[in-house]
Amino acid sequence: MVKINGELTEAAGKTVEEYLSSAGYDKKRVAVELNGDILPKCAYADTVLKDGDSAEVVSFVGGG
Amino acid sequence: MSGAVDRQALHRVLAERYGEETAARLENSTVAVCGLGGLGSNIAIDLARGGVGKLILIDFDRVDISNLHRQQYKAAQVGMLKTEAMAENIREIMPYTQIVTYNVKLTEENICKYVADADVVCEAFDEADSKAVLINTVCEKLPEKYIISSSGMAGFGDGNDIKTRRITDKFFLCGDGKSDVESEKTLVSARVSLCAAHEALAALKLLAGKI
């Protein structure tokens, strides 16, 4: 299981890019924390989520 | 212009309140404020009052009449560059704060150059895409820097929903995470400045070594 935004999910085996697409995120508006660090955007396509990973997808909304 | 307020007197009142060591730490610190709208204009003033020695103020826009309901400008400043108007306002409040202004639009390509001297970067944009670009760029290319961002402070929602969360060692996120200006249709000064105060407080705590 992969913990994403505090919830256990079945995302193991998916790349970060695949997970973001399947969960409906707009890649232009997110920052992805994976196991304590922000994952560079260029690594989304090659980074495969594994059992035990912990991630947070920060999805920005407008206003300021 | 600063009347009886001299540099030593200002230092003394901060040192009396914070302690000498903390006051000195803040005075030797630099914060970049990226965007000088509802968030950034409030953040910049909070940091200047809070004793941060040097501010890098970045915005490409001019003060508009539609800004006056929530941004820290005056009616007489409509039409001025926001960088110049904010520098003027800070000098009136805290005349010895060092101020560097850049009248530019930050992009993925130029961000590193403009925030290079900052110990802490405060994201204060209004567009979600721009927020994401700044956070991703600083975290990837300048991993030694602290960055504080905001997402979700639009509308008349509950003030108690505005929070500060630590996402990584270096990245802090303020706001309620969901109140989007596109769906909420408005920005209310008190709620935006509340979120700005969260950013400013996180910056001051980091610089003071209290996080």
Side-chain angles (χ1 to χ4, degrees):
Chain A
M1 300 290 269
V2 180
K3 193 174 180 184
I4 302 180
N5 290 9
E7 293 189 7
L8 291 171
T9 69
E10 302 283 356
K14 287 184 180 175
T15 66
V16 170
E17 180 142 335
E18 286 165 350
Y19 172 75
L20 291 173
S21 297
S22 66
Y25 285 106
D26 178 349
K27 270 194 300 170
K28 292 199 304 296
R29 297 187 169 196
V30 302
V32 177
E33 173 269 329
L34 179 60
N35 301 326
D37 290 309
I38 295 298
L39 186 69
K41 292 195 94 106
C42 60
Y44 287 5
D46 296 331
T47 301
V48 178
L49 294 165
K50 309 183 301 293
D51 272 333
D53 278 348
S54 178
E56 173 151 1
V57 182
V58 175
S59 185
F60 291 97
V61 297
Chain B
M1 172 183 149
S2 46
V5 177
D6 63 39
R7 184 185 292 268
Q8 288 72 25
L10 261 181
H11 172 82
R12 202 161 52 244
V13 293
L14 282 178
E16 282 168 2
R17 282 155 181 79
Y18 294 159
E20 180 63 43
E21 186 189 337
T22 298
R25 283 180 77 138
L26 292 170
E27 283 169 5
N28 290 321
S29 300
T30 301
V31 178
V33 183
C34 301
L36 294 171
L39 286 171
S41 63
N42 280 291
I43 292 167
I45 287 176
D46 275 342
L47 295 176
R49 287 194 194 277
V52 172
K54 181 175 171 183
L55 295 174
I56 301 169
L57 306 177
I58 309 172
D59 200 297
F60 63 91
D61 211 355
R62 288 179 184 271
V63 180
D64 185 82
I65 188 171
S66 65
N67 301 147
L68 296 178
H69 76 106
R70 73 178 195 286
Q71 303 185 16
Q72 293 291 341
Y73 302 104
K74 306 170 209 173
Q77 293 177 317
V78 168
M80 284 179 73
L81 291 171
K82 287 187 176 179
T83 48
E84 290 180 6
M86 186 44 53
E88 184 177 277
N89 294 347
I90 289 172
R91 285 192 194 101
E92 288 177 4
I93 297 167
M94 295 296 268
Y96 306 106
T97 306
Q98 289 183 65
I99 299 171
V100 177
T101 60
Y102 294 117
N103 185 53
V104 295
K105 188 172 175 67
L106 288 178
T107 65
E108 197 171 345
E109 290 72 35
N110 70 14
I111 284 167
C112 295
K113 178 170 70 173
Y114 291 113
V115 305
D117 291 341
D119 303 300
V120 175
V121 177
C122 287
E123 177 278 311
F125 295 148
D126 52 2
E127 293 178 1
D129 294 17
S130 306
K131 291 172 184 284
V133 167
L134 182 61
I135 299 328
N136 282 300
T137 303
V138 170
C139 288
E140 182 180 345
K141 297 186 177 159
L142 302 168
E144 76 285 2
K145 293 201 192 299
Y146 287 103
I147 182 154
I148 306 167
S149 178
S150 283
S151 180
M153 80 302 294
F156 281 92
D158 195 333
N160 292 333
D161 291 342
I162 305 280
K163 294 186 170 16
T164 301
R165 296 171 51 227
R166 190 172 203 164
I167 305 294
T168 71
D169 184 44
K170 300 288 186 179
F171 171 35
F172 292 72
L173 182 66
C174 307
D176 69 14
K178 59 181 190 292
S179 300
D180 191 339
V181 71
E182 284 173 28
S183 51
E184 298 290 335
K185 309 290 186 204
T186 192
L187 290 158
V188 180
S189 176
R191 199 158 194 259
V192 176
S193 60
L194 188 58
C195 196
H198 272 257
E199 282 205 43
L201 179 59
L204 291 168
K205 288 176 70 163
L206 284 167
L207 295 168
K210 296 187 185 298
I211 290 184

